[in-house]
Amino acid sequence: MARQAGLDLTEIDSEQAPTFLWMDVLTEAAAQGRTRALVTAASDALAETSPAKPFLLDLLADRPTRLSSEPVSATGRPVFDDRVTEPEALLYQDDLTIQIGRVPGLIATLERLVALAPAVCLLNVWVGGKEQYGTGFRVGDDLLLTNWHVLHDSDTGAAATTVTAEFGFEDDGRGGVRAATQVSCDAADVVSDKADDWAVIRTVTPLDGRWPVITPSRSVAPTRDGEAFVVQHPRGQRKRLGFVRNQVTYFDDRTVHYLTDTRVGSSGAPVFDAAGDLIAVHHAGGRPQEVAGKPPMRKNEGIRASRIASALAAHGIA
C-alpha cells in the first residue's frame, strides 16, 4: 500500500512488528504529503463489507468518522479482554518502571538536561540541491558541533551550501509551541573529520548569551550499563529527549553504544550521562544485535566526546 501511494520507503524498517511498521508508514506519509494517497490505497484494498471501509471513506471525504478508535461493548464502554495468560502484563514487553529510590536522581538529571537543552538546535542544510537536516549544539561563542554527514552529502562528499540553525524549536509543555530563533551559519567556515563523523560550523553572528555552551573538553567517560540521554530533533521534529531504555551497552576509545531511541535527524545530538555530563555525539543507528538468551546488545552509536575534543584541540579550536 505504501508503494502504491508513492512513498519513498528508504527510511522505513520493513522487518519490525506491524504496529510499529504502520506507525512509520503513517509518519512518512505525513512528511511526504502522501497521506491521502495512502488512505485511498488502504480503502481500495478493503471489501465493501469491511467495518473499516466507512472509517476510511469518512477520512477521505473529510467527514466525522463513524468508528471508534478502539473496540467498545454494546454499552459503549471500551472492551477489556481479561483472558490473559499471565497475572499482569508488561505493555509491549518493556518494563518501564524504576525503583522509587532512583526517582530523586532522575528528577535531578531531567532538571539538568532542561537547563542544557537551549544549547541544542535543529540544523536545516542544503547540499547538492537537496535539503537535509540534523541536530547540532553550541560549543563556543559562535560555534556549533554536529556530524560530518549532516553538513555533507554522504554519497558524493559534497559540502553544504546553506546551513541554518534553529534554536528553541520546541513545545511549550502546554500543547503549544515556542517561537524559534533562526541563525544563519557560514557554510564556508567548517572544520570537519569524515572518519570520526564530526564537524564544527561557525555562525554568522554570535549566539544568544542565554544559550549555554556545552564544552567537549569537559566531557566524561561513559559507564557500562550507565544511562545515555539524547537531546535531539528526530525527523526534524521539535526538540525531544531520548530517556527510555537508555542503557549504555558498550564503549571503547572511539564509540559508545546505547539503547536510547533516535531517528533520522538525531545525528549530531549531544549524549549525556545521568549527571548531565557530555559523553558522546550521536551519529549512527541500527537494529539491535540479538544474542541468544540476552537482550539486544547494541542499537545506536555516538562518537566519544573526548575523542572529538582532542581533535578540536589539534585544529586549534578551543
Side-chain angles (χ1 to χ4, degrees), residues 102-113:
R102 295 178 54 197
V103 172
L106 176 60
I107 292 173
T109 298
L110 296 178
E111 288 177 341
R112 173 66 174 153
L113 296 179

Side-chain angles (χ1 to χ4, degrees), residues 39 148 154 183 197 223 236 261 272 280 285:
V39 174
W148 178 92
S154 296
V183 179
D197 200 13
T223 302
D261 282 336
F272 300 101

Side-chain angles (χ1 to χ4, degrees), residues 211-228:
W211 301 334
V213 175
I214 299 173
T215 310
S217 62
R218 296 177 183 171
S219 63
V220 301
T223 302
R224 180 65 183 265
D225 297 328
E227 294 169 308

Side-chain angles (χ1 to χ4, degrees), residues 4-313:
Q4 183 179 339
L7 266 70
D8 178 0
L9 305 180
T10 55
E11 300 297 338
I12 296 178
D13 176 11
S14 62
E15 297 184 8
Q16 57 188 325
T19 297
F20 301 116
L21 175 58
W22 266 112
M23 192 65 185
D24 279 359
V25 168
L26 290 170
T27 300
E28 282 298 319
Q32 298 174 30
R34 306 298 299 170
T35 302
R36 177 168 290 276
L38 180 64
V39 174
T40 300
S43 177
D44 291 345
L46 292 176
E48 293 299 324
T49 56
S50 169
K53 187 83 169 184
F55 173 75
L56 297 181
L57 292 176
D58 285 341
L59 289 179
L60 292 170
D62 197 23
R63 295 190 298 258
T65 57
R66 288 170 280 172
L67 291 181
S68 169
S69 59
E70 61 179 316
V72 296
S73 66
T75 62
R77 296 186 61 187
V79 175
F80 185 83
D81 187 353
D82 58 1
R83 295 171 297 174
V84 295
T85 58
E86 49 188 314
E88 295 290 348
L90 288 177
L91 302 182
Y92 302 103
Q93 301 306 310
D94 285 334
D95 185 358
L96 301 185
T97 64
I98 66 172
Q99 297 287 346
I100 196 67
R102 295 178 54 197
V103 172
L106 176 60
I107 292 173
T109 298
L110 296 178
E111 288 177 341
R112 173 66 174 153
L113 296 179
V114 168
L116 292 172
V120 180
C121 62
L122 171 67
L123 293 176
N124 295 296
V125 180
W126 281 93
V127 54
K130 63 181 181 181
E131 186 178 19
Q132 58 191 42
Y133 47 81
T135 302
F137 59 100
R138 184 183 187 184
V139 295
D141 289 343
D142 57 355
L143 294 176
L144 304 177
L145 176 61
T146 186
N147 291 149
W148 178 92
H149 77 263
V150 171
L151 300 183
H152 296 79
D153 187 303
S154 296
D155 296 325
T156 67
T161 54
T162 304
V163 181
T164 302
E166 201 163 348
F167 285 86
F169 183 57
E170 54 194 66
D171 72 286
D172 63 4
R174 299 185 297 275
V177 297
R178 300 184 188 277
T181 301
Q182 293 191 346
V183 179
S184 297
C185 301
D186 186 352
D189 194 348
V190 175
V191 179
S192 64
D193 184 324
K194 180 179 180 180
D196 278 340
D197 200 13
W198 63 263
V200 169
I201 187 169
R202 194 176 300 275
T203 60
V204 174
T205 57
L207 298 172
D208 192 318
R210 294 171 295 179
W211 301 334
V213 175
I214 299 173
T215 310
S217 62
R218 296 177 183 171
S219 63
V220 301
T223 302
R224 180 65 183 265
D225 297 328
E227 294 169 308
F229 296 85
V230 185
V231 183
Q232 56 187 295
H233 284 280
R235 292 186 180 273
Q237 297 171 347
R238 296 186 183 275
K239 194 176 300 174
R240 303 178 73 89
L241 171 66
F243 72 103
V244 178
R245 291 183 296 272
N246 55 329
Q247 180 185 12
V248 174
T249 59
Y250 169 85
F251 66 89
D252 54 28
D253 62 353
R254 179 177 180 269
T255 63
V256 184
H257 297 164
Y258 36 85
L259 300 179
T260 320
D261 282 336
T262 60
R263 303 297 292 270
V264 174
S266 302
S267 294
V271 184
F272 300 101
D273 66 8
D277 292 321
L278 184 69
I279 60 174
V281 177
H282 175 71
H283 89 122
R287 300 173 191 157
Q289 290 184 340
E290 297 289 347
V291 179
K294 296 182 179 180
M297 294 305 294
R298 186 197 305 188
K299 186 174 183 182
N300 291 319
E301 182 179 270
I303 300 296
R304 287 279 297 267
S306 58
R307 186 180 181 93
I308 295 176
S310 297
L312 292 177

